[in-house]
Amino acid sequence: MKKLIALACFITLPCLALADSEQSLIGKWSCNGVQDAGDGLTILMGSNVNFKKNGRFHATMKLIFKDPELETTVVATYRSNWALKDGYLDEKPTYVKIKKLSAAGRDMRHSTFAKDIKASLMSYDPDDLAKVSFQSVSRVSFITEDVTIHCQR
């Protein structure tokens, strides 16, 4: 009986320790968030992401910029290298492609705004990392100063 209890503890402890590790992020997630950007602008974010074992991150994301006067939709593919560092997600963008950018029914993929979005997605600031908060094996949140992104498997 003692051996059974010891074995149960031994099996459970690695799983608990794993909850805050890189291994816990590996796989596919569906994520969303809402950001109040001020001046009446709200940004709705949705994405399907895949954290890979090799430290790569792939996402297809949809951003909707809602302004009192105009709604703009962006669909982009995004890749980065990622790692967990002291409970924070450190990701360095490697590729962004704006697949769709429309406002008022117009294609704006080749506009200055598209270039600005791409530049923003490609930017990297080592001091601006997202805090990773695991709620369970199937739920995680990424928390920054500006927004919280909620993900589930």
Side-chain angles (χ1 to χ4, degrees), residues 8-21 24 134-137:
C9 289
F10 180 74
I11 291 171
T12 304
L13 288 175
C15 293
L16 294 174
L18 191 63
D20 288 336
S21 74
S24 297
F134 290 95
Q135 288 82 50
S136 70
V137 295

Side-chain angles (χ1 to χ4, degrees), residues 103-120:
R106 292 188 331 224
D107 181 358
M108 299 180 61
R109 286 177 294 164
H110 305 289
S111 67
T112 302
F113 185 51
K115 291 176 186 173
D116 291 344
I117 290 172
K118 183 175 180 176
S120 177

Side-chain angles (χ1 to χ4, degrees), residues 4-110:
L4 183 60
I5 293 171
L7 181 60
C9 289
F10 180 74
I11 291 171
T12 304
L13 288 175
C15 293
L16 294 174
L18 191 63
D20 288 336
S21 74
E22 289 183 2
Q23 188 67 32
S24 297
L25 279 179
I26 293 171
K28 295 180 180 181
W29 298 86
S30 177
C31 304
N32 61 63
V34 177
Q35 179 181 359
D36 179 358
D39 294 329
L41 177 63
T42 301
I43 304 171
L44 307 172
M45 297 169 262
S47 60
N48 292 312
V49 302
N50 188 2
F51 288 92
K52 297 189 174 198
K53 290 180 187 180
N54 64 1
R56 302 284 171 103
F57 170 90
H58 295 241
T60 299
M61 61 180 66
K62 182 176 185 178
L63 306 170
I64 301 173
F65 296 83
K66 287 192 169 209
D67 181 279
E69 298 175 21
L70 183 66
E71 183 173 302
T72 304
T73 301
V74 178
V75 176
T77 54
Y78 176 85
R79 294 183 198 140
S80 70
N81 295 319
W82 72 276
L84 270 184
K85 292 185 179 176
D86 298 322
Y88 287 83
L89 178 64
D90 185 11
E91 61 162 325
K92 295 178 183 132
T94 58
Y95 174 84
V96 172
K97 180 174 183 179
I98 305 296
K99 297 180 86 167
K100 175 184 177 183
L101 175 55
S102 63
R106 292 188 331 224
D107 181 358
M108 299 180 61
R109 286 177 294 164
H110 305 289

